Amino acid sequence: MNLDTLGLEMGNKPPQALDVEEAVLGALLVEPNCVDEAMAELQPNCFYSEKHRMVFEAMRLLVNEHVALDLLSVSQKLSSLGNLEAVGGAVFLADLSQKIGAAAHIEYDIRILKQKCIQRELITASYQILKSSYDDSVNVDDLIDMSQTKIFAAIQNNVKNDVQEIGKVVNEALIDIQRLQDSTGLSGVPSGFMTLDKITLGWQPSDLIIIAARPSVGKTAFVLNVARNAAVDFNMPVAFFSLEMPAIQLAKRMMTTETRLSADKIKGGEKLEPYEWEQLEVQLKNLIKAPLYIDDTPSLPVMEFRSKVKKLVKQKGVRLIIVDYLQLMQGPAELRGMREQEVAAISRTLKATAKEMNVPIIALSQLSRQSEQRTGSNKRPQLSDLRESGSIEQDADMVIFIHRYDYQGLSEDPEDEGRTQIIIAKHRNGAIADIDMKFIASEVRFVDQYESLSSQANTYNSAMNDDVPFGPGGDEFSTNDFQ
């Protein structure tokens, strides 16, 4: 249904300004100084009249061919396109050239045409939304996403950023630098790991961050630590989409990390002592109040994910999105069965959502078995190990691998238990690096290497300073044992 028919149905004429359209086209025919500005700002759909659209399209083609605009050149171009008679012949163009107003008004006239165009596109989008809303076969989440996308596109397609002078941009940069001086120095959402934040300066808005590892290495534990640190320590709203584990299991993991009680006691394998119940109540207060939102919808369709993210960012002010994990999402229905294309579509959608909502999105991903079978490189993961689609590497602004030495069987030294490397293998806006960490399995948490060494030193010093030191097995040390 076109706008005229829709207008008749609603009893209103579509927004239009035919006299302004004629004035702009007339100015283009006789005022060369107007051409560049009009071509930069206007599109054919900015003209309501079909005849005017044809004339403007012919003018655009001539400008692209570096041909000056006048009655003769535009007539010849319309003739070559087969549209000269449709617009009313050379007489119509001659009439347009007589309807020009003051050339100084061209900027104002262009603004009017763009406003009318936005109004018409909003009407068209609204009708399509209305029509789809009556169709029971349309999934409501797809409907919401389509509605938001069409309204956003109707506005954005007609809004262009002006060229900015370097002086203005530098001044804005200086203001931003001053703002960072008064803050933590991080320009993004902090991970809570000092060594990682020194390189990334926090998770940056609009970035897609892929964190990849083989199963059971600790991907979920790592991002739960990241989510907890941002929400609890820095009070930044975080959304966690768990496609693999139910929300209650995630909560128990975070409770283990927060209280440092054994996982068996949190899971119910061992009974809690009365003082441990008190410990739970005290140490969980901050976690309970944290702005952390969990969605455990299994096989979440990517379009439903987009709708939920938009709602969370708008209503809850969410600053960080985490997806566990990418390969469990559902791509567009038409790509089902074509796994590589489906994963590519999911990856592109995640990046587009991060950019549109201006929030970082961390997505977990599985690695292929190639990394385990590789020899001569400590089975170190590489970008080519990302499963099912090269587009994940292409779309990501940052790719991080979690490399556990004890998991890979690379060391039998008890001191290496939990030894981990966080490998930044791709960093579009910064340096790549290897960061040493330690995974404490009993507490389901990662710690910076310096924190781990500090903890070991404190434990040793505490044992040395005890009045009654005990040796392995609980026997008392004699003074000779330290000599």
Side-chain angles (χ1 to χ4, degrees), residues 51 55 71 75 78 83-96:
K51 291 181 179 181
V55 173
L71 287 172
S75 294
L78 282 167
N83 292 332
L84 183 59
E85 295 303 319
V87 302
V91 175
F92 177 75
L93 295 178
D95 288 342
L96 284 178

Side-chain angles (χ1 to χ4, degrees), residues 5-153:
T5 307
L6 181 58
L8 288 173
E9 278 193 5
M10 301 177 66
N12 294 310
K13 288 179 63 177
Q16 55 190 280
L18 298 181
D19 54 339
V20 177
E21 292 180 12
E22 291 175 344
V24 169
L25 292 175
L28 292 176
L29 284 170
V30 299
E31 292 285 351
N33 295 334
C34 300
V35 174
D36 290 338
E37 182 176 1
M39 292 300 163
E41 294 289 337
L42 296 175
Q43 299 292 328
N45 63 346
C46 291
F47 294 85
Y48 175 74
S49 166
E50 186 176 358
K51 291 181 179 181
H52 295 164
R53 282 199 300 271
M54 290 179 182
V55 173
F56 183 76
E57 185 59 46
M59 290 177 169
R60 278 218 311 178
L61 293 173
L62 288 170
V63 170
N64 290 338
E65 295 167 6
H66 307 288
V67 177
L69 299 184
D70 54 37
L71 287 172
L72 182 59
S73 64
V74 175
S75 294
Q76 289 177 340
K77 177 56 71 173
L78 282 167
S79 179
S80 67
L81 294 171
N83 292 332
L84 183 59
E85 295 303 319
V87 302
V91 175
F92 177 75
L93 295 178
D95 288 342
L96 284 178
S97 65
Q98 301 299 315
K99 294 180 179 180
I100 177 176
H105 292 166
I106 188 70
E107 184 177 342
Y108 176 74
D109 291 341
I110 287 172
R111 188 158 61 246
I112 290 176
L113 293 190
K114 291 180 71 174
Q115 289 173 350
K116 299 297 181 185
C117 180
I118 292 173
Q119 288 176 271
R120 292 195 298 270
E121 290 190 358
L122 286 172
I123 290 170
T124 303
S126 300
Y127 177 75
Q128 292 172 342
I129 294 167
L130 181 65
K131 185 179 178 182
S132 298
S133 297
Y134 279 108
D135 188 349
D136 289 336
S137 66
V138 177
N139 180 279
V140 69
D141 293 307
D142 292 339
L143 174 63
I144 292 170
D145 183 72
M146 180 269 288
S147 303
Q148 292 173 327
T149 302
K150 284 188 175 296
I151 296 295
F152 185 77

Side-chain angles (χ1 to χ4, degrees), residues 373-400:
Q373 297 167 353
R374 190 178 296 114
T375 57
S377 60
N378 285 337
K379 302 182 180 179
R380 180 185 174 91
Q382 300 175 1
L383 290 171
S384 58
D385 296 330
L386 288 167
R387 280 184 60 181
E388 294 177 315
S389 179
S391 67
I392 297 177
E393 174 190 347
Q394 176 182 325
D395 295 330
D397 296 281
M398 188 182 301
V399 177
I400 295 175

Side-chain angles (χ1 to χ4, degrees), residues 315-335:
Q315 296 183 358
K316 304 293 186 181
V318 164
R319 299 276 302 277
L320 174 65
I321 307 291
I322 297 173
V323 179
D324 182 14
Y325 60 93
L326 184 150
Q327 279 87 356
L328 290 180
M329 296 188 88
Q330 285 187 29
E334 62 272 16
L335 295 179

Side-chain angles (χ1 to χ4, degrees), residues 415 438 449-466:
E415 293 295 324
K438 190 174 182 66
Q449 185 66 23
Y450 80 88
E451 184 181 340
S452 173
L453 294 173
S454 175
S455 176
Q456 292 175 22
N458 290 337
T459 302
Y460 176 77
N461 290 334
S462 176
M464 291 291 288
N465 294 327
D466 280 344

Side-chain angles (χ1 to χ4, degrees), residues 3-4 68 87 92 102 120 176 237 239 264 283 304 307 311 325 341 361 405 413 422 425 435 474:
L3 274 173
D4 287 320
V87 302
F92 177 75
R120 292 195 298 270
D176 193 53
D264 286 339
Q283 295 184 334
E304 183 179 338
S307 297
K311 184 177 179 181
Y325 60 93
Q341 293 182 38
I361 293 181
Y405 282 74
D413 187 344
I422 303 297
I435 299 168

